[in-house]
Amino acid sequence: MPFERIAILGTGLIGASVGLALRRSGFSGTVVGWDKDPAQLSIALEKGAVDVAAQSGLAAASQSDVVLLSGPVFSILDWMEQLAPVLKPGQLVTDVGSVKGVITERASTLYASESAAAFLPGHPMAGKEFSGAAHAEAGLFDGAVWLFTPISAMREHASLPEREWRQWVCRFGCRVLDLEAARHDHLCAWVSHLPQLVSTALSAVLEETFAADEDLRAIGGRALREMTRLGASPYSMWRDIASSNSDALTVALHALEQRLAHIRENLKTPELRAEFERANQFRLGSNADLAGEES
Amino acid sequence: MPFERIAILGTGLIGASVGLALRRSGFSGTVVGWDKDPAQLSIALEKGAVDVAAQSGLAAASQSDVVLLSGPVFSILDWMEQLAPVLKPGQLVTDVGSVKGVITERASTLYASESAAAFLPGHPMAGKEFSGAAHAEAGLFDGAVWLFTPISAMREHASLPEREWRQWVCRFGCRVLDLEAARHDHLCAWVSHLPQLVSTALSAVLEETFAADEDLRAIGGRALREMTRLGASPYSMWRDIASSNSDALTVALHALEQRLAHIRENLKTPELRAEFERANQFRLGSNADLAGEES
């Protein structure tokens, strides 16, 4: 008895892309959407990312087999609180939050009892520097990894909707990988959150130094465009991530600052060679996956 | 009487791409190539980037109308010294070095007299993270800016080969922009050299922290690939740039370090919003040129 109704609470970039990906992958049930911003919800409806625009997220969730919480981390935590007493065993709640420690911990208290719905914390490693349903695409998850950080108590007996949700994620073109939540947050601080903040810092310092300089605009090439692309990312998407993964991010940022200082102090010494060789090794050596893909 | 023979000294990525671009743009004269590495020269010959492989760079240069010096900054300076006493008025020497202060200053002493060849310092804002003739492309300069930092004494009476070289550069698909050499080095420190060193630092710190971690390889998405792409750039291309533009780079690196520290200290405060807004402004506001181009 496959699930027939999914509620997507938060129909921005990721939520609406999931709706489109479900449809492209042959999902024949009903996708109910809700968003606190009616404009996002109506764009999602127009694009066919959702079939039905719900007035109430709570009502939509209570009537669905699967509930996808899609939005900033703190809004996911809010919905987890609101939904826990309302939902029933047999229903599955899953999410796409970028930080998994706080979410997985909260789930292990709110969704652990036998009378609760199941909760599967998830995180697709895909996105854009622009938010909103207008940028949603069915192919957003092609080739990406969709991470799950299952609550340990639930691992042994994955529910039917959980196994089914994992299959849909595979049909979106994703590889699935299970991690401990703490390890997820550690890794994502380095591979996702740090690159974002570096691009933000680089863009911000260029804006402050050159604001109205026409020549700067004219001469920047691919390196500048690429390294500042994520500078366009909105604060609204990143506030909760920076706040809820601040410990891991503090370590990563500090390490990078030290590295840049070391490079700055060695612009004219052979030590600079060692830094380039370490960097080459990352791209060309053990990480063959990364090399060349976009060249 | 258009120029009929060009010598390209250094047939790596940029030199060989110039040869291919000349041919694609309809240059009907002879392209003579020389490289200190015979392997690079024979790849350039096989690809049709040069018509003739010269045994001696000096002989090739002395018999050509235009001489393009293509290689690391210090090798360009070496060739400038060697060629100055050999070349004659009517011949043009130009280069593609990434730092223009030292080159323009040297040119203003070596190539200023009436008995000397003309010298036009140049710098195409195009490249790749891989060096070598094997990666050369006729289209490498499409849409790029080709900067010139003319020696002030020569500005008023551009030679015929100089005017002609500027036309070829336009035919490669470039926009041409003239700058003072000091301003060139200041701008390039920020838009080209800083992004490179940030990518090197990020790649190096990831290599040191995660070297053999399979999960890191698996989960990294577009943000990681893009922000570390330039980590593959070889030290051999960047050593001379870091060394000869170290003053401007020191300022730029230090400013970025301070910015990252400021962000690190404000991961949980509203000040983070201001940083994101400055970064957004750089990408979306005054720099409309940059936005969206690769999204």
Side-chain angles (χ1 to χ4, degrees), chain B residues 171-184:
Chain B
R171 288 183 201 122
F172 297 168
C174 290
R175 287 175 296 155
V176 164
L177 185 66
D178 281 26
L179 292 175
E180 297 288 340
R183 179 160 164 76
H184 169 280

Side-chain angles (χ1 to χ4, degrees), chain A residues 217 225 257 264 287 294, chain B residues 217 225 257 287 294:
Chain A
R217 287 182 228 176
R225 285 195 302 276
E257 289 162 47
R264 173 171 50 79
N287 284 281
E294 276 154 38
Chain B
R217 286 182 230 177
R225 286 195 301 274
E257 289 162 47
N287 283 280
E294 275 155 40

Side-chain angles (χ1 to χ4, degrees), chain B residues 182-225:
Chain B
R183 179 160 164 76
H184 169 280
D185 288 358
H186 172 64
L187 285 170
C188 285
W190 288 87
V191 306
S192 168
H193 310 164
L194 178 63
Q196 172 60 56
L197 293 183
V198 171
S199 192
T200 297
L202 181 60
S203 302
V205 79
L206 285 165
E207 176 65 17
E208 196 164 85
T209 312
F210 291 97
D213 192 318
E214 296 286 333
D215 288 339
L216 189 85
R217 286 182 230 177
I219 72 177
R222 179 179 172 195
L224 182 69
R225 286 195 301 274

Side-chain angles (χ1 to χ4, degrees), chain A residues 82-96:
Chain A
Q82 287 190 59
L83 294 177
V86 175
L87 301 185
K88 304 255 166 340
Q91 290 180 290
L92 171 72
V93 186
T94 186
D95 79 302
V96 296

